Amino acid sequence: MISGMPPSKPSPWANLALAAASFAATALALEGGARWLEWRWPRPKVAAYLWDWERMWQGDFYTLGGGSTGWLPRSEVNTDGLRDRPHPLEKPPRTFRLVFLGDSVTMGHGVSATEAYPRVLQAQLDDEGWRVEVFNVALQGWSTRQELLAYERLARRYQPDLVVLAVCLNDVPELQNNLSRPAGWLAWLHRRSALVRRVVDAGGREIAAVEELFVEPPPRRVREGWRLFREQLHALRQDVEQSGARLAVMVFPFRFQVVPGAPAPVAQQQLAAVCRLEGLDLLDLLPALQPQGTAAFLDYDHLTPGGAETVAAAFSAHGWIPQSFDRRRLLSPGQDPASLLDDPDPARREAAAFFLRGQADRHLDGLVRRLADDPDAGVRAAAARALGGLRP
């Protein structure tokens, strides 16, 4: 330095470069440390049965394509994109419409469409003479969020009388894991940076398995999952009630709940508390399936045909379908159904035609007359069904 001259000031660009280099070095060091921590203490992996909606179907809702029309249907998928039989939009006269909203358990994963419990229930009700039409509005991977959307977009227009939300316990973790994720830009950084993952701790907010619902006291992520579940349930209840129907809830156990040493049914108790707050009836299927044990399950939660029959029987016994839709009430004990074929009451004529299914050959003229001339669509349908049982 020359004596008497002021010291030279560092260039601002040099200061900026030094700060940037320091920041980059610190960030690299922190990123390296975060990656080491991820390698050294990895978080538990989320169970495969807890679906990532964006990865599985690029959104939060889907249906199956390629629905069939006509008779006989050539596909298990109807025109709504569901694994169910076709249903007319117009409700048949004097018919109670029952809609099950669910996921793969209700859809019947691993069994034929006719072995899914809604179809088993339909067959049982038909055999007993109930005027009930059962809808299976369920697909694999759906949770309460998709079931709410399915009611809004598909089921509501069929004018159901009773809507049953069929809850599988993985619904709560899926709501938490999918609805509590960071914003899009942060998610982009989250996928690429271990440091961002450490700071955001999205993995710490995820529920890794259904077993976490049975931990006491429940961790924060489980409490948040139940809060999200109640939000969706509340919205569904409002929508169902505004459309003139009634909402009820049914819950399936996981297989680990029916084996010796199973945990206390904490998740079912929590669901019961949520239903009480919403003023909804709940059918807990654990007591019905427990005596059957693991024989009721194909895997961790899907039902065998025997398990589906148990569920259908438990639902029938629960009494949610009004007795007024039971055709048997229209016949006196020991009364010959044929005596009501010309009754002035169309409900009695329909019951007569229905219960003559196995005797159509002996009452051919009366059934043909009802099919050809009866002004009531329900009577004509019952006569057609009875006559359809005849051999050519």
Side-chain angles (χ1 to χ4, degrees):
M1 180 183 298
I2 301 175
S3 178
M5 293 188 66
S8 61
K9 295 181 179 180
S11 165
W13 294 108
N15 288 337
L16 184 61
L18 180 61
S22 299
F23 176 80
T26 303
L28 285 172
L30 291 173
E31 178 69 19
R35 288 178 182 267
W36 181 82
L37 288 172
E38 278 191 341
W39 170 79
R40 185 67 178 82
W41 292 290
R43 293 193 181 279
K45 289 186 177 180
V46 174
Y49 57 77
L50 300 179
W51 279 22
D52 180 333
W53 305 337
E54 187 64 33
R55 182 172 61 85
M56 296 303 294
W57 57 70
Q58 291 76 50
D60 62 354
F61 187 71
Y62 83 102
T63 58
L64 301 175
S68 65
T69 58
W71 185 261
L72 291 167
R74 296 182 179 274
S75 168
E76 287 187 344
V77 181
N78 65 17
T79 52
D80 289 321
L82 301 170
R83 195 190 188 208
D84 193 18
R85 62 191 180 93
H87 298 272
L89 273 179
E90 185 178 356
K91 184 189 296 187
R94 299 175 301 280
T95 298
F96 186 86
R97 279 189 157 174
L98 166 61
V99 167
F100 285 103
L101 298 174
D103 59 9
S104 55
V105 176
T106 297
M107 182 192 76
H109 173 79
V111 297
S112 70
T114 56
E115 291 174 319
Y117 75 83
R119 295 284 286 275
V120 173
L121 176 64
Q122 181 75 78
Q124 291 178 0
L125 294 171
D126 286 348
D127 288 343
E128 294 170 4
W130 290 84
R131 297 195 310 275
V132 177
E133 184 180 3
V134 182
F135 291 69
N136 187 343
V137 182
L139 284 179
Q140 191 153 340
W142 278 7
S143 74
T144 321
R145 169 67 179 163
Q146 288 74 40
E147 290 146 12
L148 168 61
L149 295 173
Y151 184 76
E152 294 172 348
R153 300 176 186 182
L154 302 175
R156 178 167 52 187
R157 59 201 178 102
Y158 289 99
Q159 299 177 298
D161 298 286
L162 174 64
V163 178
V164 177
L165 180 67
V167 177
C168 194
L169 294 178
N170 59 325
D171 293 352
V172 175
E174 285 179 340
L175 288 171
Q176 169 64 9
N177 295 358
N178 285 279
L179 298 182
S180 65
R181 289 184 175 165
W185 64 271
L186 190 53
W188 185 88
L189 289 173
H190 190 274
R191 288 192 295 269
R192 290 159 177 79
S193 169
L195 178 59
V196 172
R197 289 192 289 273
R198 178 64 52 174
V199 173
V200 173
D201 194 29
R205 296 201 297 267
E206 286 188 328
I207 300 173
V210 163
E211 284 82 352
E212 292 186 34
L213 301 183
F214 295 83
V215 174
E216 292 189 289
R220 180 179 177 181
R221 57 184 175 272
V222 171
R223 297 197 303 271
E224 180 66 10
W226 282 113
R227 184 191 68 78
L228 291 168
F229 173 82
R230 189 185 174 191
E231 279 185 2
Q232 301 296 314
L233 180 64
H234 181 77
L236 178 60
R237 179 178 65 80
Q238 287 189 315
D239 200 355
V240 168
E241 292 177 354
Q242 286 172 3
S243 63
R246 174 190 171 204
L247 179 67
V249 180
M250 185 169 76
V251 59
F252 300 98
F254 257 52
R255 184 176 59 184
F256 68 77
Q257 291 190 269
V258 301
V259 300
V266 175
Q268 281 87 350
Q269 292 165 6
Q270 178 61 48
L271 178 59
V274 171
C275 288
R276 284 194 296 271
L277 291 172
E278 289 294 325
L280 297 173
D281 290 336
L282 172 67
L283 170 58
D284 180 2
L285 292 165
L286 177 58
L289 291 168
Q290 215 160 22
Q292 203 170 350
T294 57
F297 295 90
L298 289 171
D299 51 23
Y300 51 88
D301 68 343
H302 297 107
L303 298 170
T304 61
E309 290 178 3
T310 300
V311 168
F315 181 89
S316 291
H318 203 63
W320 277 341
I321 302 174
Q323 291 292 319
S324 57
F325 291 91
D326 185 355
R327 294 185 181 93
R328 293 170 296 184
R329 294 170 61 88
L330 298 174
L331 299 178
S332 302
Q335 184 177 17
D336 182 4
S339 65
L340 296 177
L341 271 177
D342 295 309
D343 194 277
D345 184 354
R348 289 180 180 274
R349 296 198 305 274
E350 180 196 344
F354 182 88
F355 287 114
L356 288 174
R357 287 175 297 173
Q359 310 171 45
D361 54 340
R362 293 189 296 165
H363 303 282
L364 190 61
D365 291 342
L367 288 169
V368 169
R369 186 173 67 254
R370 292 276 69 88
L371 177 61
D373 301 330
D374 202 285
D376 186 88
V379 177
R380 296 195 302 272
R385 176 170 178 159
L387 292 166
L390 291 174
R391 299 178 67 178

